[in-house]
Amino acid sequence: MVRRVTAMLITAVMLCMFGGCSFLYSVAPPPANTDTAPDHTTYLHEFRDRRCYRVLPAHLQSLYGALYTAVKTCDADTVFSIRGEDGNEREYTGVKVALPSPLTKAEDARTLFYAFTTDNPAFFFVGNTYSYEGYRVDGVDYYDTFCLTFLMDTAARRIAEQELETAVATLLSALPEGADEYTVERHLHDALAARVTYDRDVAEGDVSASTRPHTFSAYGALVNGQAVCEGYARAMQLLLQRAAIPCTLVSGTADDTAHMWNMVEIDGRSYHLDATWDDAQDKLQHTFFNLTTEEIARTHTIGEENLGVDTCTATEANFYRLQGWQLDTYDRSLIAEAVAKQVASGAETVELRFTADTFATAQLFIANNRRLRQYTDPFLQGESLWDYTYQVNEDYHTVTLYKEI
C-alpha cells in the first residue's frame, strides 16, 4: 500500500512525522522525480570543493546539487504549510524541491540540510525550518520532495542579495595585488572586524533573535554591520570562498555557550580561525588566527555534528609565528626590540605571543609602561613608545598593546 506522508524538522529539534490528508494506493512506489528534479550538476563547479559536500555519500551529493540548483534559480516562491510539534500548521514561503531519488532515513535528511546550509553562506535567506514530503510503501517511508523555507520574499531577497554582493566585492577589491593566501586571509579577517560590531543585545537575550534573524548570517555582518558569532563565521567563510580559499564552519561551545568559528585551508594546511573572539570589545587582535586543534581546544569544544572538520596540526600560517612575534624569552631588550619593530612600522597595535615558561615574567615587564618605554625608545631612534592599554590572554600567552588615542 502507498500513501502520501509528510515529515517536519526544525534544526537541532526532534523529528516529527505525521500522515497527509490524502491516501494513494499502489503495488509499487511512484517513479523517481528524474524529469522534474533540478539538474544536480548545473552548478557543480561552484560547490564541488566545499567541505561538507565532499564528505557526503554519492546519493546525498546528488540531492545536495538539486537543492543548490533550486535555490540558485528560484524566481517565484511557493507557499506551503508545516505542522509543528504542537500540532498546529503554519504557512511558510520558500521552495519545494523534487529530489532525483528519495530519502529513506531521517538522519539523511538532517545531514543533507546541515551540509547544504553549512557550505553556502551566500544563501543567507534560507531559514532553519524545513520539511520533506513523500509516500509510504508497506510501512516504509520514501521522501521525494524537500521544502526549504525562506526568510524573505522574492523581491526583498533580490535586493538583499545585491547588497551582499556589493559588500563582498568592495572588500575583495581592496585586497593587495598578487597577495598570497595568508595575506588575503589576514586582510579579510581584519576588514571584517573593522566592519562588524558584535550584537550583544541578541547574544545576551535582551533582544529576541527572531526580530534580528540576519544577525546570524553573512548578510547581517557584511551589510548591516552587526552579527553574533555565527554571522561573523559565515561572513568570513563567504569572503574566503570568493577569494578561492577553502573555508568551512565549525560548531561547538566556548565559555559553556554555543559558538561558531571557521576552519580555513592555507597553502594546503588546515587551521582554526575565530574572527569573533579576535574582535573582542571591537579591539582587533589575532590571538585566534590560525590555531591547531590542540590550541583551539584550550577554550573551545568542537561539536560532534560537524562535517569535514580536520584535526589541524600545522603551525606555519599562525599569525605570531609567521609575523615573527612568537617569543621564547623574557629578556627585556629582546621584548623591547620586538615592540619597537612594530611601532616603527606605523602599527598602533602591538601583538606578542610567549611560551608558557616566559609569559608571566614578560607580562609583568610589559605592564610597566615606564619601564617598557625605557627599553624600547633606544630602538626607535629619537621617537618614543606611545602610551598604551593592554590585554592579555593567559590561555594563549598573548599580550596585545593598544595605542591610547
Side-chain angles (χ1 to χ4, degrees):
M1 183 182 78
V2 177
R3 66 172 176 140
R4 197 73 186 168
V5 295
T6 305
M8 179 276 286
L9 182 76
I10 298 178
T11 303
V13 179
M14 165 182 301
L15 177 70
C16 174
M17 297 176 57
F18 53 90
C21 59
S22 62
F23 295 84
L24 305 175
Y25 296 89
S26 175
V27 296
N33 292 319
T34 52
D35 294 332
T36 58
D39 185 348
H40 64 275
T41 63
T42 302
Y43 296 96
L44 183 61
H45 62 286
E46 293 187 6
F47 59 78
R48 70 190 312 160
D49 293 326
R50 294 183 184 171
R51 284 274 182 166
C52 292
Y53 173 80
R54 283 164 46 187
V55 301
L56 292 177
H59 74 286
L60 291 185
Q61 286 183 336
S62 67
L63 305 190
Y64 177 118
L67 296 185
Y68 194 99
T69 299
V71 173
K72 187 84 172 181
T73 60
C74 181
D75 57 7
D77 298 336
T78 299
V79 178
F80 48 83
S81 296
I82 297 178
R83 186 179 301 169
E85 290 183 292
D86 58 4
N88 296 322
E89 291 194 357
R90 177 184 171 189
E91 284 194 347
Y92 290 87
T93 299
V95 61
K96 300 182 74 169
V97 187
L99 300 178
S101 60
L103 288 160
T104 58
K105 299 178 182 177
E107 182 58 35
D108 281 351
R110 285 192 289 268
T111 299
L112 174 63
F113 183 78
Y114 181 88
F116 178 71
T117 53
T118 297
D119 273 350
N120 298 293
F123 296 153
F124 61 90
F125 48 84
V126 174
N128 285 337
T129 303
Y130 65 94
S131 68
Y132 38 97
E133 303 172 354
Y135 48 87
R136 179 168 294 165
V137 180
D138 296 330
V140 179
D141 294 333
Y142 300 86
Y143 297 102
D144 59 356
T145 303
F146 210 99
C147 305
L148 294 170
T149 62
F150 291 162
L151 299 175
M152 52 181 63
D153 61 28
T154 302
R157 190 166 69 246
R158 285 172 176 166
I159 294 172
E161 285 180 300
Q162 186 55 55
E163 290 175 327
L164 180 59
E165 290 303 317
T166 298
V168 170
T170 297
L171 294 182
L172 293 178
S173 68
L175 289 173
E177 186 174 353
D180 59 18
E181 289 186 347
Y182 168 86
T183 302
V184 169
E185 178 197 13
R186 181 181 170 189
H187 183 95
L188 293 175
H189 167 277
D190 295 359
L192 178 64
R195 195 178 188 97
V196 184
T197 298
Y198 187 72
D199 192 343
R200 297 192 179 280
D201 291 339
V202 170
E204 296 173 4
D206 296 331
V207 173
S208 172
S210 63
T211 65
R212 295 183 188 171
H214 294 306
T215 198
F216 298 88
S217 72
Y219 178 87
L222 297 174
V223 177
N224 296 336
Q226 194 172 41
V228 292
C229 60
E230 183 172 349
Y232 273 87
R234 291 185 183 276
M236 193 77 247
Q237 178 190 26
L238 178 60
L239 291 170
L240 290 173
Q241 284 180 350
R242 295 297 174 80
I245 295 176
C247 181
T248 192
L249 303 177
V250 186
S251 299
T253 59
D255 287 342
D256 297 321
T257 302
H259 190 52
M260 186 175 287
W261 63 99
N262 297 106
M263 189 183 74
V264 58
E265 190 174 311
I266 301 297
D267 297 326
R269 299 179 177 89
S270 296
Y271 303 87
H272 288 274
L273 172 70
D274 191 338
T276 308
W277 278 30
D278 273 346
D279 194 26
Q281 290 81 50
D282 283 330
K283 288 188 174 182
L284 178 64
Q285 56 186 265
H286 297 83
T287 300
F288 297 90
F289 193 98
N290 292 355
L291 300 181
T292 65
T293 296
E294 181 278 325
E295 288 170 334
I296 198 72
R298 297 177 194 173
T299 52
H300 297 46
T301 300
I302 300 172
E304 295 181 357
E305 72 277 12
N306 290 283
L307 294 175
V309 174
D310 296 338
T311 297
C312 307
T313 59
T315 60
E316 289 86 346
N318 173 267
F319 169 81
Y320 297 94
R321 291 183 181 277
L322 198 59
Q323 298 298 134
W325 309 134
Q326 172 75 42
L327 302 181
D328 184 11
T329 183
Y330 46 71
D331 183 283
R332 294 177 177 180
S333 293
L334 293 177
I335 295 172
E337 184 178 14
V339 171
K341 285 181 179 179
Q342 296 186 56
V343 172
S345 71
E348 296 188 348
T349 301
V350 171
E351 301 184 72
L352 299 171
R353 187 170 76 170
F354 297 89
T355 60
D357 293 337
T358 61
F359 171 68
T361 303
Q363 176 190 346
L364 289 174
F365 171 52
I366 292 172
N368 189 323
N369 195 311
R370 181 186 60 80
R371 183 61 60 86
L372 180 59
R373 181 179 289 107
Q374 176 186 346
Y375 277 82
T376 301
D377 286 359
F379 291 106
L380 293 174
Q381 300 179 346
E383 300 295 326
S384 182
L385 174 63
W386 24 256
D387 290 333
Y388 60 87
T389 58
Y390 72 97
Q391 293 181 356
V392 301
N393 187 306
E394 295 184 354
D395 293 302
Y396 295 94
H397 312 125
T398 62
V399 182
T400 306
L401 284 65
Y402 297 100
K403 181 180 179 180
E404 286 193 337
I405 305 301

